[in-house]
Amino acid sequence: MDFQLSEYHRDLVAATRELARGKFGARAFAQDDEAGLPREYLTFLAEQGLAGITMPQADGGQGGKLLDAVLVIETVAQICPIAGDCVQALNFGAIQQLARHGSPAIKQQHLTPCLRGEKLISIAMTEPEAGSAVTDLRSRGRVDGSEVVLNGQKIFTTNGDTADYFVVWVRFGESSRTSGAILVERGAPGFTIDSSHKFVSGEHYGMLYFDECRVPAENILLPEDGFRKMLAVFNVERLGNASRSLACGQAAFDLALEYAKERKQFGRRIAEFQGLQWRFAEMKLQLEAARLLLYRAAANADAGLPSALETSLAKLACNRAGFEVSNNALQIFGGYGYDQEAAVNYLFRRTRGWMIAGGTIEQMLNRIAGEVFGENFSQRPPRGGNV
């Protein structure tokens, strides 16, 4: 048991930090980006070998380990959260689903340009009546000859304003076991996007509408029993979520630390007040504990897929640490931190969303509790019982 990064991983972090500071440092904590993820960031990261880090070289990836990807996204996001989002898009989430479940033809046509940073792919899963209860999907897909016809809507689709491809989750029948995924290109007939809405962080998201939308049947990634097959891959996305949350918390901590060393009140540096020292000690504890859980989940990943329990523990710890540390950092800055343009304010708003996205912290608690008790507890009312 070794709690130190290997020489290779230390070199990876150092090289990534230098690269990120040089390229992204000038707009490190920029506010919302009206144009979505900067395409030049995506192509730059891909050119530097930071796309498809865990994917096989035969698919155009780097053939690395999940811990490699986690260290890269944490390092980049700590310097520039928007650039961290680009690392997420190139390595976690929808691109993982495409890589693991796409046919060779789909990979050649759609995965390859994504790994070059030329195209952007997003997951379309959440619906008005299917958030945490994702098995309640109402969007439907029916096979009609050589095409699939889609009807339904999706909400809160990250990068929905600019993405080129969407991994859309639908039911191909009535049972939740018929749930699957299909790749839909922007501009497909019957597919419209409303990207006029924003999250608290300032990021735009997409409201997607499918009205007799037709796509080629060969774009089906998972025809049935999709959720069972998807969840293992989804845990990879959750570690990307956790890494960015932790990174923003660490960035807020570092900003607050430098401020506390310089800011004076009552004729003394505020770092000299014991109450503030204890607050920093607690913040340090949260960050370090969360980081250990994150690295453990990534390092123990079997065939690149982390366990559900270790992922849930890591995401819960990192989400809480990122939010609570950035919240404390804002308090330390006082009015200067509460200013709309303050970097620590931006970091605080970024961390809040990750406690919801990718599985709420309540879902993580339920998953952990299931492991503790050795059984899963349904949140639905008993069949035939009173609601």
Side-chain angles (χ1 to χ4, degrees):
M1 186 177 293
D2 186 356
F3 292 98
Q4 300 299 318
L5 293 178
S6 67
E7 182 179 358
Y8 165 76
H9 284 132
R10 291 195 297 272
D11 290 343
L12 176 64
V13 170
T16 302
R17 182 179 294 113
E18 181 179 1
L19 186 77
R21 282 176 175 167
K23 180 66 176 181
F24 312 121
R27 67 185 304 254
F29 303 118
Q31 306 298 306
D32 63 288
D33 193 318
E34 292 293 336
L37 291 187
R39 294 301 176 108
E40 67 272 20
Y41 284 16
L42 292 169
T43 54
F44 174 80
L45 290 163
E47 290 168 355
Q48 302 303 316
L50 300 181
I53 294 172
T54 65
M55 296 175 193
Q57 292 180 339
D59 289 338
Q62 307 300 320
K65 301 294 186 181
L66 185 54
L67 182 58
D68 303 346
V70 163
L71 290 171
V72 167
I73 191 171
E74 181 194 4
T75 302
V76 173
Q78 189 174 329
I79 292 170
C80 176
I82 290 177
D85 295 342
C86 292
V87 177
Q88 173 85 6
L90 292 167
N91 291 279
F92 301 83
I95 200 169
Q96 282 282 342
Q97 295 185 14
L98 182 62
R100 290 185 178 270
H101 300 301
S103 66
I106 283 182
K107 290 181 183 181
Q108 179 62 36
Q109 183 177 357
H110 302 294
L111 178 61
T112 298
C114 287
L115 289 175
R116 290 199 295 255
E118 298 168 357
K119 298 291 185 178
L120 177 62
I121 187 169
S122 178
I123 293 176
M125 180 176 289
T126 304
E127 298 180 1
E129 302 300 326
S132 295
V134 71
T135 54
D136 289 346
L137 291 179
R138 294 185 178 181
S139 294
R140 294 291 188 268
R142 72 175 190 275
V143 178
D144 183 13
S146 62
E147 296 180 315
V148 175
V149 182
L150 305 177
N151 286 282
Q153 61 178 301
K154 301 292 180 179
I155 61 175
F156 306 137
T157 305
T158 302
N159 300 325
D161 54 332
T162 58
D164 303 289
Y165 307 136
F166 298 84
V167 176
V168 181
W169 284 82
V170 298
R171 282 191 185 181
F172 291 100
E174 293 305 313
S175 167
S176 62
R177 289 187 175 274
T178 67
S179 297
I182 185 167
L183 183 70
V184 180
E185 292 190 56
R186 193 182 198 91
F191 176 29
T192 57
I193 303 172
D194 174 8
S195 58
S196 62
H197 305 275
K198 289 184 180 183
F199 292 123
V200 168
S201 62
E203 301 166 280
H204 285 267
Y205 64 84
M207 305 274 283
L208 314 184
Y209 301 94
F210 303 92
D211 183 8
E212 292 292 294
C213 173
R214 290 182 173 269
V215 297
E218 58 262 29
N219 281 19
I220 295 177
L221 301 179
L222 291 169
E224 60 183 2
D225 200 19
F227 286 125
R228 182 181 62 82
K229 298 172 184 176
M230 176 274 294
L231 284 174
V233 179
F234 202 49
N235 284 329
V236 176
E237 179 180 3
R238 285 173 170 166
L239 290 190
N241 169 309
S243 300
R244 288 179 292 163
S245 184
L246 178 68
C248 285
Q250 183 67 59
F253 176 90
D254 293 342
L255 289 172
L257 181 61
E258 291 306 310
Y259 181 77
K261 291 177 180 178
E262 299 175 359
R263 173 67 168 168
K264 290 185 177 181
Q265 290 287 274
F266 306 105
R268 301 172 61 186
R269 294 179 304 142
I270 62 174
E272 297 177 28
F273 294 105
Q274 189 179 63
L276 209 62
Q277 294 168 8
W278 287 359
R279 180 169 292 195
F280 274 100
E282 294 287 356
M283 293 158 68
K284 182 69 170 177
L285 174 63
Q286 287 179 295
L287 292 170
E288 291 298 318
R291 183 170 287 111
L292 285 173
L293 287 170
L294 174 64
Y295 290 0
R296 183 185 71 169
N300 288 346
D302 180 26
L305 298 177
S307 79
L309 174 61
E310 292 185 351
T311 298
S312 298
L313 287 166
K315 185 178 186 299
L316 177 63
C318 288
N319 286 170
R320 283 179 170 174
F323 174 72
E324 292 173 12
V325 169
S326 61
N327 184 41
N328 274 309
L330 191 154
Q331 185 70 22
I332 290 164
F333 272 90
Y336 292 107
Y338 198 57
D339 183 273
Q340 181 71 22
E341 300 302 317
V344 71
N345 178 301
Y346 172 64
L347 292 166
F348 167 76
R349 288 185 284 114
R350 288 297 303 259
T351 60
R352 186 61 184 89
W354 288 316
M355 300 173 78
I356 299 171
T360 65
I361 57 174
E362 290 79 13
Q363 283 183 291
M364 300 303 101
L365 288 166
N366 285 342
R367 187 67 183 84
I368 296 166
E371 293 285 346
V372 170
F373 286 97
E375 60 180 300
N376 291 322
F377 301 95
S378 175
Q379 304 303 301
R380 301 180 184 277
R383 291 184 180 179
N386 295 324
V387 177

